[in-house]
Amino acid sequence: MKMQIVSSILLLASSGAFAAPQVSNVTLSQADNRQVIVSYRLTGEPAVVTVDIQTNGVSIGAEHLTTFAGDVNRLVQPDDSQNKTMTWRPLKNWPEGKTERLSDDVTAVVTAWSTNAPPNYMVVSLVAPGEVAYYAEAGAIPGGVTNDLYKTEYLVLRKCPAANVRWRMGSPSGELGRKDREVPHVVTLKDDFYIGIYPITQRQFKCMKFEGKDYNWNPSYYQVDGDLRPVEYVMWTEARGGTWPVAEGNADHTQVGAGSFADLLRKHAGIPSFDLPTDAQWEFACRAGVGTALYSGDELDNTTTSGRVDPLGRYANNGGRPGGVNPGTSSGADHATSRVGEYAPNGWGLYDMVGNVFEWCLDWYQDDVTGSSAETGPASNLGSGRVCRGGCWQEPASYLRSAFRSSGPVDGRYNTIGFRMVCGAVVSK
C-alpha cells in the first residue's frame, strides 16, 4: 500500500538564450517498505534536477538525502508524455531514530536548475566515463566531501559566484610579506565557474590513461601514501599543454595539448571546458570573498612561521621541511607534501588553496598584470613561464598569502608544483 503525500516544485529561471524548464505533476508516495517515490514531469529545456524533503516547510537536512537515485542530481532530458521518477530510502535514524512511516506533513520540493545556472556542487566519476552528478549542498553528496572517494576515484568541484563581480586582485602596499608583483588592481570576471575542492591527487591523476606511459603512471616525487597526496613533479604541458591565450584569428585558445590530463579528463567526462584556472580565477577562488592576506580573515603576523598560517596549509615551518632539511623521496605523510584536505578549507569549502603544492595556472607570467585582461593575462610568452599560485610545503609563511604569485617553465618538473581543475558553470546538453 502506498501513502500519498503532498509535494511541491521550485523552478530556477534562466536568462538569455536559455529557456526555463517546466516542472509539473509532482507526486510523492511511500511504499510499505518505507521507500519513497517522487514523480514529476519535466518539459521545455533540459535541466539539472535536485530534491529536498521538508516537514512543516523545514528541510530535514541534506545529510539525510544521500540515498536518492533515479532522475535526480543529474541532467534530465524533458519529456512531454512521461513522468520522471526518483526513489529515496530514508535512513533508519530519521525521523528521530524511528523506522515508522513518514507523516502527512512531509513534502518533496523538486528544483529544476537551468543548464546555465546549475547547482553549487558537481561530482565527476574518474572511473565511469560520462558519469556526472550535481548537488545543491555539500551535505547531499553521498559520504560527504571529505570522504576519501572524492580524493581518489571522484572529482568534486564547487561553483564560484564570479559573474560580473568587481573585486581587488593583488595586495595593498602595507601587507606584510608582499612582493612588487602583487600590485592591486580591480578585476571583473565574466562568468561563474566550477573549481576542484582539492588539488588533483596522485590517485586521480592515475585514473587517466596517458598514451605511451606505463599503466598507473605517476610522476610524483613523494609517493609514500601517494593516493591521497597531491600529484607533483608534473609539467605544465602534461597537466594542460596547448597554447593559451593566442592572438585573435589563430587557433581556438580553448584547445589543450593532446594527451594531457585536461584533454583526457574532457574526453572522459564529456565536459569540454575542463582547464587550469586563470591567474585571476585562482585568486578569486582562494579569497572566497575575503580581502585580508589570509583567507581565514587574518593578516600575516610573521613572514617565516606563523600560528595564523599553521591551520591553513602545509608549509616549511609546520611539517614541510622539519629542521629546515629538504626531505627525501621516502618521506612519509608528515613531511614534504601532506594528504589533501588535512588543513582548514576557505569560506567556500576549498582545501589546500595555500600550502602543500604550488598550482599551475593558465596565464603566462609577468610581474605587472594591471594592464592586461583579467580573463586572459598576457597574450604571449614573456620568457618567465606560467603562473603558479598558493605557496608550497618548502616555503615560508608569507608564500601562503592569497595574493602571492610565482612562475615556472612549461617543461619544468618540480616536487613543489601540482594543479587543480576548473570548468565552466554551464551544463552540456
Side-chain angles (χ1 to χ4, degrees):
M1 177 180 179
K2 293 184 178 180
M3 176 180 66
Q4 202 71 25
I5 305 175
V6 176
S7 302
S8 59
I9 63 173
L10 178 63
L11 301 178
L12 293 188
S14 60
S15 60
F18 294 82
Q22 300 295 321
V23 175
S24 61
N25 297 354
V26 179
T27 63
L28 185 152
S29 60
Q30 185 178 23
D32 290 337
N33 63 0
R34 296 187 79 237
Q35 179 171 275
V36 175
I37 301 172
V38 178
S39 175
Y40 66 94
R41 182 75 55 86
L42 178 67
T43 57
E45 288 287 315
V48 173
V49 174
T50 62
V51 65
D52 187 26
I53 300 296
Q54 300 181 355
T55 59
N56 294 316
V58 178
S59 173
I60 67 171
E63 68 274 14
H64 297 293
L65 305 177
T66 60
T67 56
F68 261 103
D71 296 317
V72 65
N73 299 326
R74 65 177 181 85
L75 181 65
V76 177
Q77 298 298 324
D79 191 330
D80 293 338
S81 61
Q82 186 173 355
N83 282 358
K84 307 292 183 177
T85 60
M86 61 183 86
T87 59
W88 173 52
R89 188 175 296 278
L91 300 177
K92 289 184 178 180
N93 64 351
W94 188 87
E96 300 175 357
K98 302 176 182 178
T99 59
E100 69 267 22
R101 300 174 63 79
L102 305 183
S103 59
D104 290 337
D105 60 4
V106 172
T107 61
V109 179
V110 177
T111 303
W113 305 74
S114 296
T115 54
N116 66 330
N120 280 338
Y121 291 88
M122 179 172 69
V123 178
V124 178
S125 171
L126 298 179
V127 294
E131 183 179 302
V132 182
Y134 298 87
Y135 301 90
E137 302 177 46
I141 299 175
V145 297
T146 60
N147 191 296
D148 285 353
L149 278 174
Y150 303 117
K151 306 170 186 176
T152 52
E153 296 182 353
Y154 291 85
L155 177 62
V156 183
L157 301 101
R158 207 272 194 203
K159 188 167 72 173
C160 293
N164 300 316
V165 176
R166 288 174 56 83
W167 58 286
R168 187 210 72 198
M169 184 176 176
S171 61
S173 59
E175 185 170 294
L176 184 65
R178 80 178 300 272
K179 306 293 183 182
D180 290 342
R181 54 182 179 267
E182 301 164 10
V183 176
H185 56 291
V186 175
V187 171
T188 302
L189 294 175
K190 185 172 64 175
D191 298 308
D192 295 343
F193 60 92
Y194 283 110
I195 188 168
I197 67 169
Y198 303 112
I200 296 297
T201 65
Q202 294 175 34
R203 179 68 182 92
Q204 289 172 327
F205 188 84
K206 290 188 292 184
C207 284
M208 298 295 104
K209 308 308 177 188
F210 293 84
E211 185 176 354
K213 301 292 186 181
D214 293 338
Y215 184 76
N216 282 342
W217 174 57
N218 180 8
S220 301
Y221 193 77
Y222 297 112
Q223 296 191 21
V224 176
D225 195 30
D227 276 359
L228 300 178
R229 280 179 151 180
V231 68
E232 24 80 10
Y233 217 63
V234 57
M235 296 187 294
W236 188 91
T237 52
E238 293 165 342
R240 198 270 184 189
T243 55
W244 190 97
V246 296
E248 185 177 353
N250 289 352
D252 183 357
H253 71 263
T254 63
Q255 292 179 356
V256 297
S260 66
F261 182 88
D263 179 47
L264 296 174
L265 181 59
R266 287 179 175 190
K267 294 173 180 176
H268 174 87
I271 299 175
S273 61
F274 267 121
D275 218 323
L276 297 176
T278 66
D279 193 5
Q281 283 178 325
W282 188 96
E283 186 170 327
F284 182 83
C286 179
R287 289 188 176 280
V290 175
T292 53
L294 305 176
Y295 64 58
S296 60
D298 289 327
E299 297 292 347
L300 194 67
D301 59 342
N302 188 293
T303 59
T304 302
T305 182
S306 170
R308 298 177 182 178
V309 172
D310 288 345
L312 305 184
R314 172 63 57 86
Y315 72 110
N317 294 288
N318 71 349
R321 294 185 71 175
V325 177
N326 200 5
T329 58
S330 61
S331 174
D334 293 332
H335 298 155
T337 57
S338 66
R339 293 176 290 260
V340 301
E342 294 290 301
Y343 293 85
N346 69 6
W348 289 341
L350 307 178
Y351 293 83
D352 298 278
M353 288 299 294
V354 295
N356 213 357
V357 289
F358 278 107
E359 297 178 6
W360 288 117
C361 292
L362 272 174
D363 304 54
W364 288 113
Y365 176 84
Q366 65 179 11
D367 283 345
D368 183 7
V369 295
T370 58
S372 62
S373 166
E375 292 289 338
T376 63
S380 62
N381 182 0
L382 302 179
S384 299
R386 297 284 179 169
V387 172
C388 300
R389 299 298 299 259
C392 71
W393 58 267
Q394 74 168 8
E395 301 297 351
S398 62
Y399 282 47
L400 274 67
R401 296 174 300 107
S402 298
F404 184 83
R405 304 173 68 244
S406 188
S407 67
V410 296
D411 57 354
R413 292 192 185 277
Y414 302 91
N415 58 9
T416 56
I417 305 179
F419 65 98
R420 77 178 70 211
M421 301 303 293
V422 300
C423 71
V426 175
V427 181
S428 300
K429 299 181 184 182

